[in-house]
Amino acid sequence: MRAGVERKRVVYALTVLIALFLSGCGEQPDIDVKQVSLVFNYGDIDGAELDVFSADGTVKEYIVRPTTGSGVDLFGGEIPTEDQCEMKEYTISPEDWDSIVNAVKESNFMKLSEELPKVEAYDGSTRYLEIVTSEGTHRVGGYCAGNGAGKEHQRFAAILEALRGVTLNDTIHL
């Protein structure tokens, strides 16, 4: 009789532990996103772009065409001067910013590897997303980032889709 009571306690304890574990699985991470940057080249076209989305709703686009001989390294984090690029600036609504932040959280971006799995393609675009939070900065991307198979590329693509949904110019390279 004593063994039956012990077995029930063990089953109960395991059930509680499993329920606690599973209840935390669907939660979005609580991160305070300050800025989202996307840098990408135009594949086989000589050009690149840096789009910076800020929590205050401002968006700045820096377009460098051609990149060859420009002396600008967008992928190295360099912000070009006005005479080195075409610059556009506009604002997005708080709802648009929230949709970007939700995509970052739902994709669990901060847990993605810095380099996404390789994609076999030609003349594709190299893309990197950089997310700045109150806790730090995380950068993820690579060649054809968001176009490959697998969950990591899908998670990256979800953020690209959120950015595409709020941009004024629907650039095909996003």
Side-chain angles (χ1 to χ4, degrees):
M1 187 81 125
R2 189 106 168 108
V5 171
E6 287 299 316
R7 190 173 317 143
K8 286 181 182 179
R9 286 184 182 165
V10 169
V11 168
Y12 176 76
L14 286 174
T15 303
V16 169
L17 286 174
I18 290 170
L20 287 173
F21 174 75
L22 291 177
S23 68
C25 286
E27 291 180 17
Q28 294 180 8
D30 188 26
I31 57 175
D32 182 22
V33 178
K34 303 288 187 186
Q35 180 177 294
V36 176
S37 298
L38 171 65
V39 61
F40 57 96
N41 63 22
Y42 296 152
D44 62 346
I45 299 170
D46 191 11
E49 186 170 325
L50 169 64
D51 300 338
V52 181
F53 298 79
S54 299
D56 65 0
T58 60
V59 179
K60 292 182 180 177
E61 294 179 353
Y62 304 91
I63 302 165
V64 178
R65 283 185 283 217
T67 55
T68 304
S70 71
V72 177
D73 183 10
L74 292 178
F75 286 93
E78 187 177 334
I79 303 291
T81 61
E82 286 185 32
D83 62 320
Q84 295 174 310
C85 71
E86 175 187 344
M87 188 178 147
K88 298 177 184 177
E89 187 171 349
Y90 56 93
T91 59
I92 59 174
S93 70
E95 294 80 18
D96 286 342
W97 174 252
D98 289 344
S99 71
I100 294 169
V101 170
N102 287 336
V104 169
K105 290 179 180 181
E106 289 171 5
S107 70
N108 204 7
F109 178 84
M110 303 306 272
K111 299 290 185 186
L112 281 172
S113 303
E114 289 181 20
E115 286 291 322
L116 294 179
K118 297 212 180 294
V119 174
E120 295 296 323
Y122 297 101
D123 298 331
S125 177
T126 298
R127 299 182 187 108
Y128 283 90
L129 280 166
E130 182 176 273
I131 310 296
V132 178
T133 70
S134 55
E135 301 293 317
T137 301
H138 189 58
R139 186 174 185 206
V140 175
Y143 182 67
C144 289
N147 289 359
K151 291 185 181 196
E152 288 180 307
H153 280 282
Q154 290 172 352
R155 290 163 55 195
F156 188 94
I159 300 168
L160 292 178
E161 191 60 35
L163 296 176
R164 186 178 290 118
V166 301
T167 56
L168 291 178
N169 63 338
D170 194 29
T171 306
I172 60 168
H173 301 287
L174 278 179

